Amino acid sequence: MSVFPDLGDHAGFIWMAYGVSALVLAGLIGWIRIDARRQMTLLDDLEARGIRRRSSRAKSKGASKAR
Amino acid sequence: MKAFTSLVARDLRLAWREGGAISTALGFYLVVVAILPLGLGPDLNLLARIAPGILWVALLLAALLSVDRIFHNDHEDGTLEIIALGPLPLELVAAAKATAHWISIGIPLTLAAPILALLLNLPANAFWVLVLTMATGTPAISFLGALGAALTLGLGRGGLLLALLILPLYAPVLIFGVAAMNAVITGPSPFLSSYLILCAITLATIVLAPIASAAALRLNLN
Amino acid sequence: MTQAEGTFNRLANPTRFMGLASTILPWLTCLTALLLLTGLYLAFFVAPEDYQQGHTVKIMFIHVPFAWLAMMGYSVITIASIGSLIWRHPMADVAAKTAAPIGACFTLLALVTGSLWGKPMWGTYWVWDARLTSVLLLFFLYLGLMALWQAIEEPSRAGRAAAILAIVGSVNIPIIKFSVDWWNTLHQPASVAKLDGPSIHSSILTPLLIMAAAFTCLFFVMHLMAMRTEVLRRRVQALQLTHVDAAGVTQGARA
């Protein structure tokens, strides 16, 4: 037998600890993913307007030098 | 060495002529120490017990107020770049300016502390420790503050950012300053061990902080 | 020409990094999920309750890894900062910048789970225990770093300023830890219940280690993802700048 009462009494604290952790980590991952998506769309947008990086432009011209 | 002392003397002269920084810091120190009993209640026993902590925390805040001006004016009018071109290495420039700040702000605050301690009913045998620990700790406050000022140089809301960057680094100074005073007031821990660690922290800060400050200044000058 | 080669070199390393990250990330993500599921299963269904702390020992399976990652995150930042100051490596800047919010999150979680553990164990959510206090100060150091990154607009300057601050902070961490320990023994001679019992039984140690491995992998998954985004962000910014420059030049030519 344990000195302290079992899960029944402290279940709330345990679930809260796991819940808050899951929430914060999910939020962090979500934020990272949204940020990644946003930068991707910005980059695609720029490329669609014909603005691209020197290396990718060289590649499209067929020059293998850029790699 | 001559360049170093002349830079310190110049900064002191400027601080003396402007005058505002010293009186603002002193006034702030007085107001903070005077307003805390209004929140804590007038119980003199309680105040006497927590007086070392109040005096030290208020000192940190008062010093922080003035610390962001260390490089600010010289940066604004371009003097800093001229000084950087001069014979003195940037590390010593940072050290000189921090020293000037200590003399112009740190020492007046230290000397004001015993007067404010009367308001808080600090035990009589603790007054000499108060002055001694503060005289020992304030150089570390000025040198770390100069580092923060160098890092936030030229940023709009530098003052608030500076507090966020530097206050956690002040924790050891605060802890050992208060610990040395409590050792004399209440015991039982020996005064000398806390005080010597405070000395070690201050000495290490005086040596190391100017190196980091100079690195941060180079960023802003290029 | 040399300048063009210089810019190419600066882009080349991030490009290689992007490729590497894309290869590693799926594997690392799978590994993280696997470890996390195993760890959770062991923690909830296999590990016995502690004779002293009952079921609240389950909080330890996440609290201890978080506290460990809080410190590891700062170590990553310190190492990256040294790299960025000495070799001026752009990827080191990116690594240091993106590790800060992740490390700060783990530090925050260590504090939150710690206080949720403290309530049933000590009777209060917060005690000014030496460990809690130094982790709190570590959290402030993270906040300072993130604030400095935010305050300086030019990324290379922000990177070097933050690197200086990070190194100063890492020199200070042992001193802060030492002084907080000192302060704590002065103020609390009757110390709060020690959490490290006689010796940890393997039925508790195994899930703990697996959870620690899982969260370490999770840290690196998030770090790699964030670094990839940061590289993209800098590309976007560079392209926008050159675009503005080019537009300015053509307009100037027309005038």
Side-chain angles (χ1 to χ4, degrees):
Chain A
M1 288 310 294
S2 60
V3 177
F4 290 94
D6 65 354
L7 196 67
D9 278 15
H10 297 315
F13 291 107
I14 298 172
W15 292 124
M16 191 122 86
Y18 277 83
V20 168
S21 308
L23 216 67
V24 169
L25 290 178
L28 184 61
I29 293 173
W31 174 71
I32 290 173
R33 292 192 64 126
I34 289 170
D35 197 25
R37 199 73 46 82
R38 196 169 49 210
Q39 300 306 324
M40 289 285 228
T41 44
L42 275 175
L43 202 62
D44 286 347
D45 189 42
L46 283 168
E47 278 190 1
R49 297 205 320 239
I51 309 155
R52 51 186 66 191
R53 299 195 307 137
R54 214 165 304 141
S55 52
S56 52
R57 203 181 295 159
K59 204 165 53 184
S60 62
K61 274 179 195 162
S64 56
K65 196 174 63 178
R67 272 280 146 176
Chain B
M1 195 61 210
K2 192 154 168 290
F4 182 85
T5 44
S6 64
L7 186 57
V8 174
R10 165 188 171 275
D11 269 30
L12 286 177
R13 262 200 309 280
L14 282 175
W16 182 249
R17 264 182 223 152
E18 282 175 11
I22 304 171
S23 44
T24 312
L26 283 174
F28 184 82
Y29 195 24
L30 172 65
V31 169
V32 170
V33 171
I35 208 155
L36 275 168
L38 298 183
L40 295 165
D43 178 10
L44 279 182
N45 291 328
L46 172 72
L47 289 179
R49 195 159 61 77
I50 58 176
I54 292 179
L55 290 168
W56 264 97
V57 170
L59 177 100
L60 286 185
L61 296 178
L64 260 188
L65 261 191
S66 57
V67 112
D68 69 321
R69 313 303 292 180
I70 290 184
F71 299 109
H72 181 265
N73 287 346
D74 283 352
H75 180 65
E76 289 259 283
D77 63 11
T79 321
L80 195 59
E81 288 178 36
I82 297 170
I83 296 173
L85 290 176
L88 205 59
L90 217 44
E91 281 79 4
L92 287 179
V93 172
K97 289 194 142 306
T99 310
H101 178 266
W102 176 60
I103 297 173
S104 65
I105 304 282
I107 291 183
L109 286 179
T110 303
L111 295 178
I115 303 165
L116 299 180
L118 290 173
L119 292 177
L120 298 175
N121 195 28
L122 187 79
N125 63 340
F127 275 75
W128 64 273
V129 216
L130 176 70
V131 176
L132 184 65
T133 51
M134 282 191 172
T136 315
T138 39
I141 293 172
S142 290
F143 275 72
L144 279 176
L147 168 62
L151 278 171
T152 55
L153 194 57
L155 301 179
R157 53 211 147 90
L160 283 177
L161 179 62
L162 181 71
L164 181 58
L165 301 188
I166 293 302
L167 274 179
L169 302 181
Y170 279 166
V173 181
L174 175 66
I175 286 172
F176 285 106
V178 175
M181 287 184 64
N182 278 333
V184 171
I185 299 172
T186 56
S189 64
F191 160 76
L192 211 57
S193 49
S194 299
Y195 181 68
L196 287 180
I197 296 170
L198 180 65
C199 292
I201 290 172
T202 299
L203 288 177
T205 310
I206 289 177
V207 175
L208 295 178
I211 300 172
S213 312
L217 283 179
R218 280 194 193 96
L219 272 182
N220 285 292
L221 292 176
N222 292 337
Chain C
M1 193 64 212
T2 47
Q3 201 193 352
E5 261 169 19
T7 32
F8 174 71
N9 271 337
R10 248 174 278 148
L11 282 173
N13 278 326
T15 311
R16 215 183 309 147
F17 164 81
M18 297 294 265
L20 199 67
S22 311
T23 350
I24 294 176
L25 260 177
W27 294 100
L28 200 58
T29 313
C30 287
L31 183 66
T32 308
L34 207 68
L35 282 169
L36 200 57
L37 287 176
T38 322
L40 283 174
Y41 174 75
L42 287 179
F44 273 97
F45 299 107
V46 179
E49 47 184 285
D50 190 72
Y51 75 101
Q52 220 181 354
Q53 302 168 18
H55 279 290
T56 52
V57 77
K58 300 213 183 318
I59 297 180
M60 182 186 74
F61 296 130
I62 50 174
H63 171 70
V64 172
F66 289 159
W68 137 249
L69 282 173
M71 286 182 285
M72 193 197 74
Y74 206 91
S75 319
V76 168
I77 294 176
T78 308
I79 294 168
S81 300
I82 293 171
S84 98
L85 275 187
I86 296 180
W87 294 289
R88 301 277 165 87
H89 198 293
M91 285 315 290
D93 262 9
V94 170
K97 180 182 181 185
T98 50
I102 303 174
C105 268
F106 278 113
T107 315
L108 181 67
L109 283 178
L111 289 170
V112 171
T113 53
S115 66
L116 283 173
W117 195 11
K119 181 66 181 167
M121 288 294 98
W122 301 330
T124 59
Y125 284 105
W126 184 265
V127 288
W128 288 94
D129 163 72
R131 268 186 236 176
L132 263 74
T133 311
S134 34
V135 171
L136 183 66
L137 286 171
L138 179 67
F139 184 60
F140 293 152
L141 289 181
Y142 273 117
L143 289 187
L145 273 179
M146 285 158 66
L148 192 60
W149 268 108
Q150 287 239 297
I152 307 179
E153 287 191 4
E154 191 193 325
S156 70
R157 224 191 97 187
R160 278 157 65 201
I164 294 169
L165 181 67
I167 291 171
V168 169
S170 68
V171 171
N172 255 278
I173 284 174
I175 304 174
I176 291 177
K177 182 82 181 66
F178 166 71
S179 49
V180 168
D181 280 344
W182 179 281
W183 166 78
N184 193 250
T185 49
L186 275 187
H187 288 260
Q188 295 185 337
S191 179
V192 286
K194 279 276 175 285
L195 290 174
D196 33 29
S199 65
I200 306 178
H201 194 257
S202 67
S203 59
I204 290 192
L205 189 63
T206 319
L208 179 61
L209 289 179
I210 290 177
M211 288 294 259
F215 283 116
T216 312
C217 286
L218 182 63
F219 180 96
F220 283 115
V221 167
M222 292 195 286
H223 194 204
L224 279 178
M225 279 164 64
M227 279 174 77
R228 216 162 53 164
T229 311
E230 185 61 25
V231 170
L232 286 182
R233 189 197 325 276
R234 289 180 184 200
R235 279 185 189 166
V236 168
Q237 276 166 359
L239 284 179
Q240 280 168 342
L241 269 183
T242 52
H243 178 55
V244 170
D245 281 353
V249 167
T250 45
Q251 269 194 347
R254 252 180 238 146

